[in-house]
Amino acid sequence: MSKYFRPWNIDQTLLLPPNVQDFVPKGHVSRFIVELVRESLDLKEITGSYVSGLGQPPFDPRMMVALLLHGYASGLYSSRRIAKACRERNDFVMIVALDPPDFRTISDFRKRHLKALGALFLQVLKLCETAGLVKLGHVALDGTKIKANASKHKAMSYERMKKREAELKAEVARMLAAAEAADAQEDETFGKDKRGDELPDWAGDKKKRLAKIQQAMAALEADARLAAEEERRIEAEKEQQRQAEGRKKPGKPAAPASDQPDPKSQRNFTDPESRIMKSKDGFVQAYNAQAAVDAGAQIIVAHELTQCGNDQGQLVPLIEAIENNLGRKPEQASADSGYCSEANLEALEAHGIDGYVAPGRAKHPTAANGKIGGPLTQRMRKKIDDGGFETPYRLRKQVVEPVFGQIKQARGFRQFLLRGVEKVRAEWAMICTAHNLLKLFTLVNAA
């Protein structure tokens, strides 16, 4: 007896569901995001920007916001991949209601409303707080290096720029001389349809490259001048304070701040605002993405993005951002040794927060150097050591590290799409918004 199979009715004509939301099950995250955008989010800043009645009617901004949020929550960030999903995946087909936008429309919408889309983080955070997901009993802070939309091989040091500038100037001079000599034979060389004084393409490319290098050098020189002026200002204030107190600066006088860039200082030609940073994968062209995560349900309660590879200057801004976002301070805060400094520990005490910041370890620990750091650092080391197995510092890794794992590993966000620190900062805000949306969905779906 032959085996019977279920019928494969691939050619059978079917009627579509009466409602496009029936394309996906009721508990699907796409339905949750659509309902959230339609009922809970204030999109006046986006919808209010459409004032002209000319031209074809644009796509509904609510649909475009829901589409982008669902794309980020699903690990799709490229406008082309999102547009492809709008034709192939039921959850995206449901959101666009069988009317998929072109990838350029998606890209242009994101660029036009990038600031407003980043500001949705605060609205979603407030919804998470209302749902009881934000406790602020313990908040863990950390940063992660995320690759910029630029290659580190497109960066050049100031020293190399100076050398290459001289080389290109010589090459361009030779090219111009060759082009001028060729003018005498313009009919044979260029043809009758040309004037004969045009520069060849290879000469134009060299000149463009030279102009780009000179522009990058000027930017590095301007940064060096600003840094030197700030250093001189700080030193002048310190000197005034010493004179007022009748003290003298100990030791030999320091060398004056130089207005010239460090020969090893680099600038990237693709994204000049990104920086080469050290990460677990080696040196990468990146930005430093920061997050403060609540221990209750791993909700991101504050975020920041910086061009500096060092985390030390980000503790106070994150703490202040938490208070600005939620109107209250966390009871406890933990951070790794990258945030440890006397100023940061003093700031935690000034804010009335029970801080747990790793004081760091000596490369070659001995009884003598085990007391490295100022009095607050030594007190923090004793505080963590005395806590032993029960110290709240142990919460840090299990609170904030999984969040970066979910963003970078589970949802595949390992490189920014946009360029420039302000645009990348808004893009990071959208990533954090999508993370909180999924946490809120998990709670609603479990209820």
Side-chain angles (χ1 to χ4, degrees), residues 70-222:
H70 184 55
Y72 275 67
S74 303
L76 299 181
Y77 311 103
S78 163
S79 57
R80 284 177 170 83
R81 293 183 66 191
I82 294 175
K84 183 180 180 182
C86 291
R87 300 188 299 272
E88 298 178 355
R89 282 182 49 170
N90 280 351
D91 48 348
F92 285 86
V93 170
M94 180 274 292
I95 291 176
V96 301
L98 299 173
D99 186 15
D102 182 71
F103 77 90
R104 294 192 184 279
T105 303
I106 299 172
S107 177
D108 291 343
F109 181 87
R110 176 166 50 191
K111 290 177 182 177
R112 177 179 178 181
H113 304 292
L114 187 60
K115 184 177 180 181
L117 289 169
L120 293 178
F121 170 82
L122 186 57
Q123 293 191 47
V124 174
L125 178 60
K126 292 286 188 181
L127 292 174
C128 292
E129 183 183 27
T130 304
L133 294 178
V134 178
K135 307 296 185 183
L136 290 189
H138 185 99
V139 171
L141 284 61
D142 204 359
T144 183
K145 311 299 190 298
I146 298 180
K147 291 182 180 179
N149 189 2
S151 169
K152 67 179 179 180
H153 302 294
K154 292 296 182 181
M156 188 180 289
S157 68
Y158 183 77
E159 184 179 30
R160 175 61 180 155
M161 286 181 193
K162 293 284 287 184
K163 183 178 179 181
R164 190 61 182 145
E165 180 191 29
E167 292 173 355
L168 285 174
K169 280 183 177 179
E171 289 180 27
V172 170
R174 288 195 300 270
M175 293 170 186
L176 291 175
E180 186 176 352
D183 286 345
Q185 301 175 351
E186 60 183 20
D187 288 341
E188 294 79 9
T189 305
F190 299 101
K192 295 182 180 181
D193 59 335
K194 300 281 182 133
R195 299 190 310 272
D197 58 352
E198 298 89 356
L199 285 176
D201 292 339
W202 43 266
D205 288 344
K206 296 285 185 181
K207 291 189 73 175
K208 290 178 182 177
R209 195 178 306 169
L210 175 60
K212 202 165 188 178
I213 287 177
Q214 289 174 334
Q215 183 181 4
M217 288 174 59
L220 284 174
E221 290 165 358

Side-chain angles (χ1 to χ4, degrees), residues 307-325:
Q307 300 164 284
C308 180
N310 193 319
D311 293 334
Q312 202 170 91
Q314 301 307 310
L315 186 140
V316 174
L318 282 174
I319 292 296
E320 292 177 348
I322 296 172
E323 191 170 2
N324 291 335
N325 290 341

Side-chain angles (χ1 to χ4, degrees), residues 38 151 163 240 272 274 333 419 423 432:
R38 294 173 68 181
S151 169
K163 183 178 179 181
Q240 289 178 359
S274 63
R419 293 169 181 164
K423 293 181 179 178
C432 296

Side-chain angles (χ1 to χ4, degrees), residues 37 41-52 58-69 105-106 108-121 123 430 433:
V37 169
L41 295 185
D42 182 4
L43 302 179
K44 290 180 182 178
E45 186 176 351
I46 295 177
T47 57
S49 64
Y50 295 90
V51 293
S52 175
F59 285 94
D60 192 318
R62 297 174 302 166
M63 183 273 284
M64 296 296 291
V65 170
L67 179 62
L68 282 171
L69 288 178
T105 303
I106 299 172
D108 291 343
F109 181 87
R110 176 166 50 191
K111 290 177 182 177
R112 177 179 178 181
H113 304 292
L114 187 60
K115 184 177 180 181
L117 289 169
L120 293 178
F121 170 82
Q123 293 191 47
M430 292 179 65
T433 302

